Structure formats: C-alpha cells, structure tokens
Coordinates of all heavy atoms in Angstrom, one line a residue:
M39 N -33.1 12.7 -63.9 CA -33.5 14.0 -63.6 C -32.4 14.9 -63.2 O -32.1 15.9 -63.7 CB -34.7 14.1 -62.6 CG -35.1 15.4 -62.2 SD -36.3 16.1 -63.4 CE -37.1 17.3 -62.4
K40 N -31.6 14.4 -62.2 CA -30.4 15.1 -61.7 C -29.4 15.4 -62.8 O -28.9 16.4 -63.0 CB -29.7 14.4 -60.6 CG -30.2 14.6 -59.2 CD -29.4 13.9 -58.2 CE -29.4 12.5 -58.5 NZ -28.8 11.6 -57.5
E41 N -29.2 14.3 -63.6 CA -28.2 14.4 -64.7 C -28.6 15.4 -65.7 O -27.8 16.2 -66.2 CB -27.9 13.1 -65.3 CG -26.8 13.1 -66.4 CD -26.4 11.8 -66.9 OE1 -26.5 10.8 -66.2 OE2 -25.8 11.8 -68.0
R42 N -29.9 15.5 -66.0 CA -30.3 16.5 -67.0 C -30.2 17.9 -66.4 O -29.8 18.8 -67.2 CB -31.8 16.2 -67.3 CG -32.2 16.9 -68.6 CD -33.6 16.5 -69.1 NE -34.0 15.2 -68.8 CZ -35.2 14.8 -68.6 NH1 -36.2 15.7 -68.8 NH2 -35.5 13.6 -68.3
F43 N -30.4 18.1 -65.2 CA -30.2 19.4 -64.5 C -28.8 19.8 -64.6 O -28.4 20.9 -64.9 CB -30.7 19.4 -63.1 CG -30.5 20.6 -62.3 CD1 -31.3 21.7 -62.5 CD2 -29.4 20.7 -61.4 CE1 -31.0 22.9 -61.8 CE2 -29.2 21.9 -60.7 CZ -30.0 23.0 -60.9
I44 N -27.9 18.9 -64.2 CA -26.4 19.1 -64.3 C -26.0 19.4 -65.7 O -25.2 20.4 -65.9 CB -25.7 18.0 -63.6 CG1 -26.0 17.9 -62.1 CG2 -24.2 18.2 -63.8 CD1 -25.5 16.6 -61.5
Q45 N -26.4 18.6 -66.6 CA -26.1 18.8 -68.0 C -26.5 20.2 -68.5 O -25.7 20.9 -69.2 CB -26.7 17.8 -68.9 CG -26.3 17.9 -70.4 CD -26.9 16.8 -71.3 OE1 -27.8 16.1 -70.9 NE2 -26.4 16.7 -72.5
N46 N -27.7 20.6 -68.2 CA -28.2 22.0 -68.5 C -27.3 23.0 -67.9 O -26.9 24.0 -68.5 CB -29.6 22.1 -68.1 CG -30.2 23.4 -68.6 OD1 -30.1 23.8 -69.8 ND2 -30.9 24.1 -67.8
Y47 N -26.9 22.8 -66.6 CA -26.1 23.8 -65.9 C -24.7 23.9 -66.6 O -24.2 25.0 -66.9 CB -25.9 23.4 -64.5 CG -25.1 24.3 -63.7 CD1 -25.6 25.5 -63.2 CD2 -23.7 24.1 -63.4 CE1 -24.9 26.4 -62.4 CE2 -23.0 24.9 -62.7 CZ -23.5 26.1 -62.2 OH -22.8 27.0 -61.5
V48 N -24.1 22.8 -66.9 CA -22.8 22.8 -67.6 C -22.9 23.4 -69.0 O -22.0 24.1 -69.4 CB -22.2 21.3 -67.7 CG1 -21.0 21.3 -68.6 CG2 -21.9 20.8 -66.3
N49 N -24.0 23.1 -69.7 CA -24.1 23.7 -71.0 C -24.2 25.2 -71.0 O -23.8 25.9 -72.0 CB -25.4 23.2 -71.7 CG -25.3 21.8 -72.2 OD1 -24.2 21.2 -72.3 ND2 -26.4 21.1 -72.4
H50 N -24.6 25.8 -69.9 CA -24.7 27.2 -69.8 C -23.5 27.9 -69.1 O -23.4 29.1 -69.0 CB -26.0 27.6 -69.1 CG -27.2 27.4 -69.9 ND1 -27.8 26.2 -69.9 CD2 -27.8 28.2 -70.8 CE1 -28.8 26.3 -70.8 NE2 -28.8 27.4 -71.4
I51 N -22.5 27.1 -68.6 CA -21.3 27.7 -68.0 C -20.5 28.4 -69.1 O -20.3 27.9 -70.2 CB -20.5 26.6 -67.3 CG1 -21.2 26.2 -66.0 CG2 -19.1 27.1 -67.0 CD1 -20.5 25.0 -65.3
T52 N -20.0 29.6 -68.7 CA -19.2 30.4 -69.6 C -17.7 30.4 -69.0 O -17.5 30.0 -67.9 CB -19.7 31.8 -69.7 OG1 -19.5 32.4 -68.4 CG2 -21.1 31.8 -70.1
K53 N -16.8 30.9 -69.9 CA -15.5 31.1 -69.4 C -15.4 32.1 -68.3 O -14.6 32.0 -67.4 CB -14.6 31.5 -70.6 CG -14.4 30.4 -71.6 CD -13.5 30.8 -72.8 CE -13.4 29.6 -73.8 NZ -12.6 30.0 -74.9
E54 N -16.3 33.1 -68.4 CA -16.3 34.1 -67.3 C -16.7 33.4 -66.0 O -16.2 33.8 -64.9 CB -17.3 35.2 -67.7 CG -17.4 36.3 -66.7 CD -16.2 37.2 -66.6 OE1 -15.4 37.2 -67.5 OE2 -16.1 37.9 -65.6
D55 N -17.7 32.5 -66.0 CA -18.1 31.7 -64.8 C -16.8 31.0 -64.2 O -16.7 31.0 -63.0 CB -19.1 30.7 -65.1 CG -20.4 31.3 -65.5 OD1 -20.8 32.4 -65.1 OD2 -21.1 30.7 -66.4
I56 N -16.0 30.4 -65.0 CA -14.8 29.7 -64.5 C -13.9 30.7 -63.9 O -13.3 30.4 -62.8 CB -14.2 28.9 -65.7 CG1 -15.1 27.7 -66.1 CG2 -12.8 28.4 -65.3 CD1 -14.7 27.0 -67.3
L57 N -13.7 31.8 -64.6 CA -12.8 32.8 -64.0 C -13.3 33.4 -62.7 O -12.5 33.5 -61.7 CB -12.6 33.9 -65.1 CG -11.6 35.0 -64.8 CD1 -10.2 34.4 -64.7 CD2 -11.7 36.1 -65.9
L58 N -14.5 33.6 -62.6 CA -15.1 34.1 -61.3 C -15.0 33.1 -60.2 O -14.7 33.5 -59.1 CB -16.6 34.6 -61.6 CG -16.7 35.8 -62.4 CD1 -18.2 36.1 -62.7 CD2 -16.1 37.0 -61.8
F59 N -15.3 31.9 -60.5 CA -15.2 30.8 -59.5 C -13.8 30.7 -59.0 O -13.5 30.6 -57.8 CB -15.6 29.4 -60.1 CG -15.5 28.3 -59.1 CD1 -16.4 28.1 -58.1 CD2 -14.4 27.5 -59.2 CE1 -16.3 27.0 -57.2 CE2 -14.2 26.4 -58.3 CZ -15.2 26.2 -57.3
A60 N -12.8 30.8 -59.9 CA -11.4 30.7 -59.6 C -11.0 31.9 -58.7 O -10.4 31.7 -57.6 CB -10.5 30.7 -60.8
Q61 N -11.5 33.1 -59.1 CA -11.2 34.3 -58.3 C -11.7 34.2 -56.9 O -11.1 34.6 -55.9 CB -11.7 35.5 -59.0 CG -10.9 35.9 -60.2 CD -11.5 37.0 -61.0 OE1 -12.6 37.4 -60.8 NE2 -10.7 37.5 -62.0
K62 N -13.0 33.7 -56.8 CA -13.6 33.5 -55.4 C -12.8 32.6 -54.6 O -12.9 32.6 -53.3 CB -15.1 33.0 -55.6 CG -16.0 34.1 -56.0 CD -17.5 33.6 -56.2 CE -17.9 32.5 -55.4 NZ -19.3 32.1 -55.6
N63 N -12.1 31.7 -55.2 CA -11.3 30.7 -54.5 C -9.8 31.0 -54.5 O -9.0 30.1 -54.3 CB -11.6 29.3 -55.0 CG -12.9 28.8 -54.7 OD1 -13.2 28.4 -53.5 ND2 -13.9 28.9 -55.6
N64 N -9.5 32.3 -54.7 CA -8.1 32.8 -54.7 C -7.2 32.1 -55.6 O -6.0 31.8 -55.3 CB -7.6 32.7 -53.2 CG -8.4 33.5 -52.3 OD1 -8.7 34.7 -52.6 ND2 -8.7 33.0 -51.1
V65 N -7.7 31.8 -56.8 CA -6.9 31.2 -57.9 C -6.8 32.2 -59.1 O -7.9 32.6 -59.6 CB -7.4 29.9 -58.4 CG1 -6.6 29.3 -59.5 CG2 -7.6 28.9 -57.2
L66 N -5.6 32.6 -59.4 CA -5.5 33.5 -60.6 C -5.2 32.7 -61.8 O -4.2 32.0 -61.9 CB -4.4 34.5 -60.3 CG -4.6 35.5 -59.2 CD1 -3.4 36.4 -58.9 CD2 -5.9 36.3 -59.4
L67 N -6.1 32.7 -62.8 CA -5.9 31.9 -64.0 C -5.5 32.8 -65.2 O -5.9 33.9 -65.3 CB -7.3 31.3 -64.4 CG -7.9 30.3 -63.4 CD1 -9.3 29.8 -64.0 CD2 -7.0 29.1 -63.2
K68 N -4.6 32.2 -65.9 CA -4.2 32.8 -67.2 C -5.3 32.5 -68.2 O -6.1 31.6 -68.0 CB -2.9 32.3 -67.7 CG -1.7 32.5 -66.8 CD -0.5 31.8 -67.3 CE 0.6 31.8 -66.3 NZ 1.6 30.8 -66.6
K69 N -5.4 33.3 -69.3 CA -6.4 33.1 -70.3 C -6.4 31.7 -70.8 O -7.4 31.0 -71.0 CB -6.3 34.1 -71.4 CG -7.4 34.0 -72.5 CD -7.1 34.7 -73.7 CE -8.1 34.6 -74.8 NZ -8.5 33.2 -75.1
E70 N -5.2 31.2 -71.1 CA -5.0 29.9 -71.6 C -5.5 28.8 -70.7 O -6.1 27.8 -71.1 CB -3.5 29.6 -71.9 CG -2.9 30.5 -72.9 CD -2.4 31.8 -72.3 OE1 -2.0 31.8 -71.1 OE2 -2.4 32.8 -73.0
E71 N -5.3 29.0 -69.4 CA -5.8 28.1 -68.4 C -7.3 28.1 -68.3 O -8.0 27.0 -68.2 CB -5.2 28.4 -67.0 CG -3.7 28.1 -66.9 CD -3.1 28.5 -65.6 OE1 -3.5 29.6 -65.1 OE2 -2.3 27.7 -65.2
V72 N -8.0 29.2 -68.5 CA -9.4 29.3 -68.5 C -9.9 28.5 -69.7 O -10.9 27.7 -69.6 CB -9.9 30.8 -68.6 CG1 -11.4 30.8 -68.8 CG2 -9.5 31.5 -67.4
D73 N -9.3 28.7 -70.9 CA -9.7 27.9 -72.1 C -9.5 26.4 -71.9 O -10.4 25.7 -72.3 CB -8.8 28.4 -73.3 CG -9.0 29.8 -73.7 OD1 -10.1 30.4 -73.3 OD2 -8.2 30.4 -74.4
I74 N -8.4 26.0 -71.3 CA -8.2 24.6 -71.0 C -9.3 24.0 -70.1 O -9.8 23.0 -70.3 CB -6.8 24.4 -70.4 CG1 -5.7 24.7 -71.5 CG2 -6.6 23.0 -69.9 CD1 -4.3 24.9 -71.0
L75 N -9.5 24.7 -69.0 CA -10.5 24.2 -68.0 C -11.9 24.2 -68.6 O -12.7 23.3 -68.4 CB -10.4 25.1 -66.7 CG -9.2 24.9 -65.9 CD1 -9.1 26.0 -64.9 CD2 -9.0 23.5 -65.3
Y76 N -12.2 25.2 -69.4 CA -13.5 25.3 -70.0 C -13.7 24.1 -70.9 O -14.7 23.4 -70.9 CB -13.6 26.6 -70.8 CG -14.9 26.8 -71.6 CD1 -16.1 27.2 -70.9 CD2 -15.0 26.6 -72.9 CE1 -17.2 27.4 -71.6 CE2 -16.1 26.8 -73.6 CZ -17.3 27.2 -73.0 OH -18.4 27.4 -73.7
F77 N -12.7 23.8 -71.8 CA -12.8 22.7 -72.7 C -13.0 21.4 -72.0 O -13.9 20.6 -72.3 CB -11.5 22.6 -73.5 CG -11.4 21.4 -74.3 CD1 -12.1 21.2 -75.5 CD2 -10.6 20.3 -73.9 CE1 -12.0 20.1 -76.3 CE2 -10.5 19.1 -74.6 CZ -11.2 19.0 -75.8
H78 N -12.2 21.1 -70.9 CA -12.3 19.8 -70.2 C -13.6 19.7 -69.4 O -14.2 18.6 -69.3 CB -11.1 19.6 -69.3 CG -9.9 19.2 -70.1 ND1 -9.7 18.0 -70.6 CD2 -8.8 20.0 -70.4 CE1 -8.5 17.9 -71.3 NE2 -8.0 19.1 -71.1
L79 N -14.1 20.8 -68.9 CA -15.3 20.8 -68.1 C -16.5 20.5 -69.1 O -17.3 19.6 -68.8 CB -15.6 22.1 -67.5 CG -17.0 22.2 -66.7 CD1 -17.1 21.2 -65.6 CD2 -17.2 23.6 -66.2
K80 N -16.5 21.1 -70.2 CA -17.6 20.9 -71.2 C -17.6 19.5 -71.8 O -18.6 18.8 -71.9 CB -17.5 21.9 -72.3 CG -17.8 23.3 -71.9 CD -19.3 23.5 -71.7 CE -19.6 25.0 -71.6 NZ -21.0 25.3 -71.7
K81 N -16.4 19.0 -72.0 CA -16.2 17.7 -72.7 C -16.3 16.5 -71.7 O -16.9 15.5 -72.0 CB -14.9 17.6 -73.4 CG -14.6 16.3 -74.1 CD -13.3 16.3 -74.8 CE -13.1 15.0 -75.5 NZ -11.7 14.8 -75.9
N82 N -15.9 16.7 -70.5 CA -15.7 15.6 -69.6 C -16.4 15.7 -68.3 O -16.1 15.0 -67.3 CB -14.2 15.5 -69.2 CG -13.3 15.2 -70.5 OD1 -13.6 14.3 -71.2 ND2 -12.3 16.1 -70.7
W83 N -17.5 16.5 -68.2 CA -18.2 16.7 -66.9 C -18.7 15.4 -66.3 O -18.7 15.2 -65.1 CB -19.2 17.7 -67.0 CG -20.4 17.4 -67.8 CD1 -20.6 17.6 -69.1 CD2 -21.6 16.7 -67.3 NE1 -21.9 17.1 -69.5 CE2 -22.5 16.6 -68.4 CE3 -22.0 16.2 -66.1 CZ2 -23.7 16.0 -68.4 CZ3 -23.3 15.6 -66.0 CH2 -24.1 15.5 -67.1
R84 N -19.2 14.5 -67.2 CA -19.7 13.2 -66.7 C -18.6 12.4 -66.1 O -18.8 11.7 -65.0 CB -20.3 12.4 -67.8 CG -21.7 12.9 -68.2 CD -22.4 12.0 -69.3 NE -23.6 12.5 -69.6 CZ -23.9 13.4 -70.6 NH1 -22.9 13.9 -71.3 NH2 -25.1 13.8 -70.9
V85 N -17.4 12.4 -66.6 CA -16.3 11.6 -66.1 C -15.9 12.3 -64.7 O -15.6 11.5 -63.7 CB -15.0 11.7 -67.0 CG1 -13.8 11.0 -66.4 CG2 -15.4 11.0 -68.3
F86 N -15.8 13.6 -64.6 CA -15.5 14.2 -63.4 C -16.6 13.9 -62.3 O -16.2 13.7 -61.1 CB -15.5 15.8 -63.5 CG -14.3 16.3 -64.3 CD1 -14.5 17.1 -65.4 CD2 -13.0 16.0 -63.8 CE1 -13.4 17.6 -66.0 CE2 -11.9 16.5 -64.5 CZ -12.1 17.3 -65.6
L87 N -17.8 13.8 -62.7 CA -18.9 13.5 -61.7 C -19.1 12.1 -61.4 O -19.2 11.7 -60.2 CB -20.2 14.1 -62.3 CG -21.3 14.3 -61.3 CD1 -20.9 15.2 -60.1 CD2 -22.5 14.9 -62.0
Y88 N -19.0 11.2 -62.4 CA -19.4 9.8 -62.2 C -18.2 8.8 -62.4 O -18.3 7.7 -61.9 CB -20.5 9.4 -63.1 CG -21.7 10.2 -63.0 CD1 -22.1 11.0 -64.1 CD2 -22.5 10.3 -61.9 CE1 -23.3 11.8 -64.1 CE2 -23.6 11.1 -61.8 CZ -24.0 11.8 -62.9 OH -25.2 12.6 -62.8
G89 N -17.2 9.2 -63.0 CA -16.1 8.3 -63.4 C -14.8 8.5 -62.7 O -14.7 9.1 -61.6
N90 N -13.8 8.0 -63.3 CA -12.4 8.2 -62.8 C -11.7 9.2 -63.7 O -11.2 8.9 -64.8 CB -11.7 6.8 -62.9 CG -10.3 6.9 -62.3 OD1 -9.8 7.9 -62.0 ND2 -9.7 5.7 -62.2
P91 N -11.5 10.4 -63.2 CA -10.8 11.4 -64.0 C -9.3 11.4 -64.0 O -8.7 12.4 -64.4 CB -11.4 12.7 -63.3 CG -11.6 12.3 -61.9 CD -12.0 10.9 -61.9
T92 N -8.7 10.4 -63.5 CA -7.2 10.3 -63.4 C -6.5 10.7 -64.7 O -5.6 11.5 -64.7 CB -6.8 8.9 -62.9 OG1 -7.4 8.6 -61.7 CG2 -5.3 8.9 -62.8
L93 N -6.9 10.1 -65.8 CA -6.3 10.5 -67.1 C -6.5 11.9 -67.5 O -5.5 12.6 -68.0 CB -6.8 9.6 -68.2 CG -6.4 8.1 -68.1 CD1 -7.1 7.3 -69.2 CD2 -4.9 7.9 -68.2
I94 N -7.6 12.5 -67.2 CA -7.8 13.9 -67.4 C -6.9 14.8 -66.5 O -6.3 15.7 -67.0 CB -9.3 14.3 -67.2 CG1 -10.2 13.5 -68.2 CG2 -9.6 15.8 -67.4 CD1 -11.7 13.5 -67.8
F95 N -6.8 14.4 -65.3 CA -5.9 15.1 -64.4 C -4.5 15.0 -64.8 O -3.8 16.0 -64.7 CB -6.0 14.5 -63.0 CG -7.3 14.8 -62.2 CD1 -7.8 14.0 -61.2 CD2 -8.1 15.9 -62.6 CE1 -8.9 14.3 -60.6 CE2 -9.3 16.1 -62.0 CZ -9.7 15.3 -60.9
T96 N -4.1 13.9 -65.4 CA -2.7 13.8 -65.9 C -2.5 14.8 -67.1 O -1.5 15.5 -67.1 CB -2.4 12.4 -66.4 OG1 -2.6 11.5 -65.3 CG2 -1.0 12.3 -67.0
T97 N -3.5 14.9 -67.9 CA -3.4 15.9 -69.0 C -3.4 17.3 -68.5 O -2.6 18.1 -68.9 CB -4.7 15.7 -70.0 OG1 -4.6 14.4 -70.5 CG2 -4.6 16.7 -71.1
L98 N -4.3 17.6 -67.5 CA -4.3 18.9 -67.0 C -3.0 19.3 -66.3 O -2.6 20.5 -66.3 CB -5.5 19.0 -66.0 CG -6.9 19.1 -66.6 CD1 -8.0 19.0 -65.6 CD2 -7.1 20.3 -67.5
K99 N -2.4 18.3 -65.6 CA -1.2 18.6 -64.9 C -0.1 19.1 -65.9 O 0.7 20.0 -65.5 CB -0.7 17.4 -64.2 CG 0.5 17.6 -63.3 CD 0.8 16.5 -62.4 CE 1.8 16.9 -61.3 NZ 2.0 15.8 -60.3
A100 N -0.1 18.6 -67.1 CA 0.9 19.0 -68.1 C 0.5 20.4 -68.7 O 1.3 21.0 -69.3 CB 1.0 18.0 -69.2
Q101 N -0.8 20.8 -68.6 CA -1.3 22.0 -69.3 C -1.4 23.2 -68.4 O -1.4 24.3 -68.9 CB -2.6 21.7 -70.0 CG -2.6 20.7 -71.1 CD -3.9 20.4 -71.6 OE1 -4.9 20.4 -70.9 NE2 -4.0 20.0 -72.9
L102 N -1.5 23.0 -67.1 CA -1.7 24.1 -66.2 C -0.4 24.4 -65.3 O 0.4 23.5 -65.2 CB -2.8 23.7 -65.2 CG -4.2 23.4 -65.8 CD1 -5.2 22.9 -64.8 CD2 -4.8 24.6 -66.6
S103 N -0.4 25.6 -64.8 CA 0.7 25.8 -63.9 C 0.6 24.9 -62.6 O -0.5 24.5 -62.3 CB 0.7 27.3 -63.4 OG -0.3 27.5 -62.5
P104 N 1.7 24.6 -62.0 CA 1.6 23.7 -60.8 C 0.7 24.3 -59.7 O -0.1 23.5 -59.1 CB 3.1 23.7 -60.3 CG 3.9 23.9 -61.5 CD 3.1 24.9 -62.3
T105 N 0.7 25.6 -59.5 CA -0.2 26.2 -58.5 C -1.6 26.0 -58.9 O -2.5 25.7 -58.0 CB 0.2 27.7 -58.3 OG1 1.6 27.8 -57.9 CG2 -0.7 28.3 -57.2
T106 N -1.9 26.3 -60.1 CA -3.3 26.2 -60.6 C -3.8 24.8 -60.5 O -4.9 24.5 -60.1 CB -3.5 26.7 -62.0 OG1 -3.1 28.1 -62.0 CG2 -4.9 26.5 -62.6
Y107 N -2.9 23.8 -60.9 CA -3.3 22.4 -60.9 C -3.5 22.0 -59.5 O -4.6 21.4 -59.2 CB -2.2 21.6 -61.5 CG -2.5 20.1 -61.4 CD1 -3.3 19.5 -62.3 CD2 -1.9 19.3 -60.4 CE1 -3.6 18.1 -62.2 CE2 -2.2 18.0 -60.3 CZ -3.0 17.4 -61.2 OH -3.4 16.1 -61.1
D108 N -2.6 22.3 -58.6 CA -2.8 21.8 -57.2 C -4.1 22.4 -56.5 O -4.8 21.7 -55.9 CB -1.6 22.2 -56.3 CG -0.3 21.5 -56.7 OD1 -0.4 20.4 -57.4 OD2 0.8 21.9 -56.4
K109 N -4.3 23.7 -56.7 CA -5.5 24.3 -56.2 C -6.8 23.7 -56.8 O -7.8 23.5 -56.2 CB -5.5 25.8 -56.3 CG -6.6 26.5 -55.7 CD -6.6 26.3 -54.2 CE -7.7 27.2 -53.6 NZ -7.8 27.1 -52.1
G110 N -6.7 23.5 -58.1 CA -7.8 22.9 -58.9 C -8.2 21.5 -58.4 O -9.4 21.2 -58.2
I111 N -7.2 20.7 -58.1 CA -7.4 19.3 -57.6 C -8.1 19.4 -56.2 O -9.0 18.7 -55.9 CB -6.1 18.5 -57.5 CG1 -5.6 18.2 -58.9 CG2 -6.3 17.2 -56.7 CD1 -6.5 17.3 -59.7
Q112 N -7.6 20.3 -55.4 CA -8.1 20.5 -54.1 C -9.6 20.9 -54.2 O -10.5 20.4 -53.5 CB -7.3 21.6 -53.3 CG -7.9 21.9 -51.9 CD -7.2 23.1 -51.3 OE1 -6.2 23.6 -51.8 NE2 -7.8 23.6 -50.2
L113 N -9.9 21.9 -55.0 CA -11.3 22.4 -55.2 C -12.2 21.3 -55.8 O -13.3 21.1 -55.4 CB -11.3 23.6 -56.1 CG -10.8 24.9 -55.4 CD1 -10.6 26.0 -56.5 CD2 -11.8 25.3 -54.3
F114 N -11.6 20.5 -56.7 CA -12.4 19.4 -57.3 C -12.9 18.5 -56.2 O -14.1 18.1 -56.1 CB -11.6 18.7 -58.3 CG -12.2 17.4 -58.8 CD1 -13.3 17.4 -59.7 CD2 -11.8 16.2 -58.2 CE1 -13.9 16.2 -60.0 CE2 -12.5 15.0 -58.6 CZ -13.5 15.0 -59.5
Y115 N -12.0 18.0 -55.3 CA -12.4 17.0 -54.3 C -13.3 17.7 -53.3 O -14.2 17.0 -52.8 CB -11.1 16.4 -53.7 CG -10.5 15.4 -54.6 CD1 -9.3 15.6 -55.3 CD2 -11.2 14.2 -55.0 CE1 -8.8 14.6 -56.1 CE2 -10.7 13.3 -55.8 CZ -9.5 13.5 -56.4 OH -9.0 12.6 -57.3
E116 N -13.1 18.9 -53.0 CA -14.0 19.6 -52.0 C -15.4 19.7 -52.6 O -16.4 19.3 -52.0 CB -13.5 21.0 -51.7 CG -12.4 21.1 -50.8 CD -11.8 22.5 -50.6 OE1 -12.6 23.5 -50.9 OE2 -10.7 22.6 -50.2
M117 N -15.5 20.1 -53.9 CA -16.8 20.2 -54.6 C -17.5 18.8 -54.8 O -18.7 18.7 -54.6 CB -16.7 20.9 -55.9 CG -16.3 22.3 -55.8 SD -17.4 23.4 -54.9 CE -16.4 23.8 -53.5
K118 N -16.7 17.8 -55.1 CA -17.2 16.5 -55.3 C -17.8 15.9 -54.0 O -18.8 15.3 -53.9 CB -16.2 15.5 -55.9 CG -16.8 14.2 -56.2 CD -16.2 13.5 -57.4 CE -16.9 12.2 -57.7 NZ -16.3 11.5 -58.8
Q119 N -17.0 16.2 -52.9 CA -17.5 15.7 -51.6 C -18.8 16.4 -51.2 O -19.7 15.7 -50.7 CB -16.4 16.0 -50.5 CG -16.8 15.4 -49.2 CD -15.7 15.6 -48.2 OE1 -14.9 16.6 -48.3 NE2 -15.6 14.7 -47.2
K120 N -18.9 17.7 -51.5 CA -20.2 18.4 -51.2 C -21.3 17.8 -52.1 O -22.4 17.6 -51.6 CB -20.1 19.9 -51.5 CG -19.3 20.6 -50.5 CD -19.2 22.1 -50.9 CE -18.4 22.9 -49.8 NZ -18.3 24.3 -50.2
Y121 N -21.1 17.5 -53.3 CA -22.1 17.0 -54.2 C -22.5 15.6 -53.7 O -23.7 15.3 -53.6 CB -21.5 16.8 -55.6 CG -22.4 16.0 -56.5 CD1 -23.6 16.6 -57.0 CD2 -22.1 14.7 -56.9 CE1 -24.5 15.8 -57.8 CE2 -23.0 13.9 -57.7 CZ -24.1 14.5 -58.2 OH -25.0 13.8 -59.0
Q122 N -21.6 14.7 -53.3 CA -21.9 13.4 -52.8 C -22.7 13.4 -51.5 O -23.5 12.6 -51.2 CB -20.6 12.6 -52.7 CG -20.1 12.2 -54.1 CD -18.8 11.5 -54.0 OE1 -18.0 11.6 -53.1 NE2 -18.5 10.7 -55.1
S123 N -22.4 14.4 -50.7 CA -23.1 14.5 -49.4 C -24.6 14.9 -49.6 O -25.4 14.7 -48.7 CB -22.4 15.5 -48.5 OG -22.6 16.9 -48.9
L124 N -24.9 15.5 -50.8 CA -26.3 15.8 -51.1 C -27.1 14.6 -51.6 O -28.3 14.7 -51.6 CB -26.3 16.9 -52.2 CG -25.7 18.3 -51.8 CD1 -25.7 19.2 -53.0 CD2 -26.5 18.9 -50.6
L125 N -26.4 13.6 -52.0 CA -27.1 12.4 -52.5 C -27.8 11.6 -51.5 O -27.6 11.5 -50.4 CB -26.2 11.5 -53.3 CG -25.5 12.2 -54.5 CD1 -24.6 11.3 -55.2 CD2 -26.6 12.7 -55.5

C-alpha cells in the first residue's frame, strides 16, 4: 500500500516541483540539473528509497555542480531519515 502511494506521488512530480523544492532548501538549480534530477527520480525512486543508490550518486556527481551535488546528498539523507522514522 505504501509503495503504491509513493509510486503515485512520484508519477505526478513535475520538474517545477523539483525546482520549488530546491528553492525552498536554498539550492539554485540550472535547467540541465532539474532535467537530470527529474530523470533519476522518475527512473530510480525505488533504489533511492529501498536500495543502495551509490552508483546513481556517482553518476550524479559527474553531472551536477559540486554545490548542487553536496546539498542534494545532504537533503537526500535528511529526507530518507524522516521517511524511515515514520515506519
């Protein structure tokens, strides 16, 4: 049930949602970075949530600015910790 809810949520996320989330967290994204994050979120959300995203992070590190990557990793672990505390 949870997974279906999350899948539905991810299916409805837009690039604008990613941009707004970043802005709320003081991250300025370039258009290319929004596209990259959108692609990886849509394709790999299960890995981010349940698996080991190390290989995806390696790819992202090469594709994003160092500041964006560092802040993104920080936000990822904060959000994942919040999610796990709800379980």
